[in-house]
Amino acid sequence: MCLIMKSGIIRLSALLIALPLFYYSCTIIDNNVVETGYGLKVQNGMVVSAYPDASIIGVKILQNGGNAVDATAAIHFALAVCNPAAGNLGGGGLLVVRESDGNIAALDYREKAPLVAARDMYLDDKGEVIPGLSTSTHLASGVPGTVAGIAEVHNKYGNLSFKEVIQPGIDLARQGFIVSDKLARSLNKMKDRFIERNSHITAFVKDESWVEGDTIRQPELAETLELIRDYGMDGFYRGRTADLIIKEMERVNGIITHGDLENYKAVWRDPITGSYKGYRIISMPPPSSGGVAIIQLLGMIENYPVSEWGFHSDKSIHLMTEAERRVYADRAEYLGDPDFVKIPVEELMGIDYLAGRMSDFNPDQSGDSRDISAGSIPGYESEETTHFSVVDGDGMAVSVTTTLNGAYGNGIVVEGAGFLLNNEMDDFSVKPGYPNIYGLIGGEANSIQPDKRMLSSMTPTIIEENGELFMIVGSPGGSTIITSVFQTILNVIEFNMDMQTAVSAGRFHHQWLPDQISVESDVFDTLLVQKLEKMGHTIAKRPSIGRVDAIRVLSDGSYEGGADPRGDDTAAGY
Ligand code: DON
């Protein structure tokens, strides 16, 4: 059916952010109908991603006989074009896949420290951190993993040819795509940075300001994608593209070498699994902290009556906050790259351990994080990563989070190749106790070593109910990824929200240090703030937390989308 059913922005209550409800529309492409919209429900296949063009490309792949992994590859390449702040070729990602027969796998294509990286590479002679070095320079980039990741997952599971899944991205780069209002504003804000950090004119800068409806064409990026189309991984990690990356590195003291690029490999890892009230949670293992953290959080609150206490009640917020405080403290101490450090994964998720961690939980009084100054968290507005969720008609599901770390990574576009480089090295603990751009601190487990992967918070997750696919969920947001995924899961399982409402609902976040509850503006009313402050909590308002893109399977087998209205995120399906 192709009808515009209902449209409009409805503000439900102070607890929900401005929520577009049930906005459906459809596009007819090559005689196939693709439906898009908030609260979308479809029968055959669905994609929820950060930009409409990418979601529609994914659905077209499904309609043309591709499975969820074919769509994943196509969406990934498309986002590298139309979501330049986070979609990428020059970054990395993590994904979890569940085949229709229930087999699960996790792919780690996280960036790595270059071989000549060193533990103290961002410190001066006095051992102080040199501001900006791990975020804004050529030295900030880890060895990119995205192209290896896409090639690997597609090679293992894809039905269509690699050429078929990459071509829509090439066309989007060559023919251009239409800029949204949000993207125009974001590019305008970054203009000075692009000019300052690049010696050539990039596709992201023009004389006048960008406005909604403009078209961005990226011929250099199209050429790079064509090399990847024709030579696979070698089109990126060897030959012309690799030469251009190295030339870019040599321009300003970068340290990535041809050897780093040639040696990069994506790694299959065993997913983290756990349960919550009968649901099976399948998520990302280290080098992400996300899977361990989400199982810990759910385990810590499982025995409390949160649904009875209610959504955003002082009691449930207090409980979730206290669980978060403990989990983020564990993250800082124990988690890192499992190929370099021994991580007590099972112990951290054990029932007794979690019960012990909550044994000093006081229902009336906030805990007290270590009394150290964790420093400010600069650049909330510059955070950007992207998550997308995909399901096909057979029920194969993929949950993918990919990133350059900060918005537009380090802002450096590889001259001649048209893609941005990541600033993922900042996800290492550059100095024990020194906060990264998300205010996260860490120690030895996440210290810099050559060839090591930096710790991530990305939490691509799939949930089963009674052995069947139930939900695909994940988010960007740096340190807030874990809490955004946690809250979205609880919104559905404990607070009975449909998928769209669960995604749109207001969010809060605590990460141990700084010792405060961050909350989206207007989400907590004055009375609630007073109650939480009386318990000893500090409340800090911030603009937005996370951008969750999720899919739920309904009891009749149809798919229900939740696209985050905080961005241009779009559910598309058929
Ligand atoms: O891997 C991580 O945890 C971070 N690099 C993710 C960054 C991020 O989510 C930025 N987003 N809004």
Side-chain angles (χ1 to χ4, degrees), residues 110 383-385 403 405 424 427 438 456-458 476-478 481:
R110 183 74 167 157
E383 292 180 13
E384 204 68 59
T385 289
T403 188
N405 194 24
E424 216 76 61
D427 271 351
Y438 307 105
S456 175
S457 301
M458 293 190 285
I481 291 174

